[in-house]
Amino acid sequence: IYSFKYEPEEILDKEKDILFTLDFSILYHSSFKFLSLLYHRSSINDENVFYLSEFILELSLTDIKILKYSQRKRAIASFILAKKIFNIKLENYYIQFNYSLNKNEIKVLLKELSNILKKVIYSEERNLIAEKFKSPKYGCIVSVFQSKLMEKVEKRRNDIIKDLTEKKNKIKEFV
């Protein structure tokens, strides 16, 4: 037999007191909810942007430097970074205007988020968040992102080779 310390009526009365004290303001707006709202209000139809934003946002929860920023700012910065990674040209001015953000603060946050993302992607250590986002439930976004990185590295490599070849040919012409 259980021995309860409080009667059900006492618990309900206490809950009522708490609700009145909070003025019935009990909704919590998480950065993930804000990200979802931001994504669905944008004209972007690429789920990869959403999944990568979500991945970046979840990684940000592991870094104390990032947690000093508001939920809203972390969501916006994650969204902007994902757009940049996928080369999606959606003007950020509507975000800046609608959410009155400090551009310099967002730039710093973008840099910090980018560093976290690089650290996880280039690390040899197993990261459980990355493992989670490798699953089909999240669009295998880690693999998609890694492929995107490899494309950029290959393009940069080809550009360097092309540039060196052109310089070599100019030197031959000169000599």
Side-chain angles (χ1 to χ4, degrees):
I1 294 185
Y2 294 104
S3 171
F4 295 107
K5 228 176 182 179
Y6 299 100
E7 294 296 319
E9 295 82 24
E10 290 177 292
I11 294 172
L12 289 173
D13 285 341
K14 195 46 90 177
E15 285 179 355
K16 186 173 90 177
D17 289 344
I18 291 169
L19 286 171
F20 277 113
T21 302
L22 294 173
D23 197 26
F24 290 86
S25 180
I26 56 173
L27 293 178
Y28 177 73
H29 299 286
S30 75
S31 52
F32 293 98
K33 200 66 149 163
F34 193 78
L35 174 64
S36 180
L37 179 68
L38 188 62
Y39 174 75
H40 291 295
R41 283 190 177 173
S42 75
S43 59
I44 297 173
N45 293 323
D46 188 347
E47 282 187 336
N48 286 334
V49 172
F50 181 73
Y51 289 135
L52 185 57
S53 300
E54 211 175 20
F55 177 51
I56 295 166
L57 197 52
E58 196 159 327
L59 286 174
S60 77
L61 295 174
T62 65
D63 193 306
I64 195 76
K65 291 182 297 191
I66 305 293
L67 295 178
K68 68 182 177 186
Y69 296 99
S70 71
Q71 304 276 353
R72 177 178 58 120
K73 288 177 183 172
R74 283 186 278 147
I76 290 170
S78 298
F79 183 67
I80 291 171
L81 184 56
K83 282 187 332 135
K84 284 183 179 184
I85 289 169
F86 283 104
N87 295 320
I88 294 180
K89 306 293 183 215
L90 176 66
E91 295 300 322
N92 291 334
Y93 68 82
Y94 86 96
I95 295 173
Q96 300 279 335
F97 177 76
N98 287 334
Y99 303 106
S100 60
L101 299 173
N102 177 327
K103 283 185 180 181
N104 292 330
E105 190 176 34
I106 291 296
K107 282 182 183 178
V108 170
L109 182 53
L110 284 169
K111 181 127 177 103
E112 289 177 9
L113 289 174
S114 181
N115 289 338
I116 291 170
L117 189 57
K118 287 176 189 173
K119 191 186 314 179
V120 169
I121 293 300
Y122 294 126
S123 173
E124 296 295 321
E125 293 178 26
R126 186 168 176 229
N127 183 295
L128 294 177
I129 297 171
E131 294 294 322
K132 171 184 170 182
F133 281 87
K134 284 180 181 177
S135 75
K137 181 179 179 183
Y138 296 96
C140 304
I141 196 60
V142 171
S143 301
V144 171
F145 176 62
Q146 288 172 327
S147 296
K148 189 80 172 161
L149 278 178
M150 290 308 295
E151 284 174 21
K152 286 185 177 190
V153 167
E154 188 64 28
K155 184 182 181 313
R156 188 175 293 158
R157 182 181 161 278
N158 289 339
D159 289 346
I160 290 170
I161 290 171
K162 181 181 172 187
D163 190 42
L164 288 173
T165 305
E166 287 174 4
K167 285 180 182 178
K168 185 178 175 182
N169 289 337
K170 284 183 182 180
I171 291 173
K172 283 182 180 178
E173 287 175 13
F174 185 75
V175 175

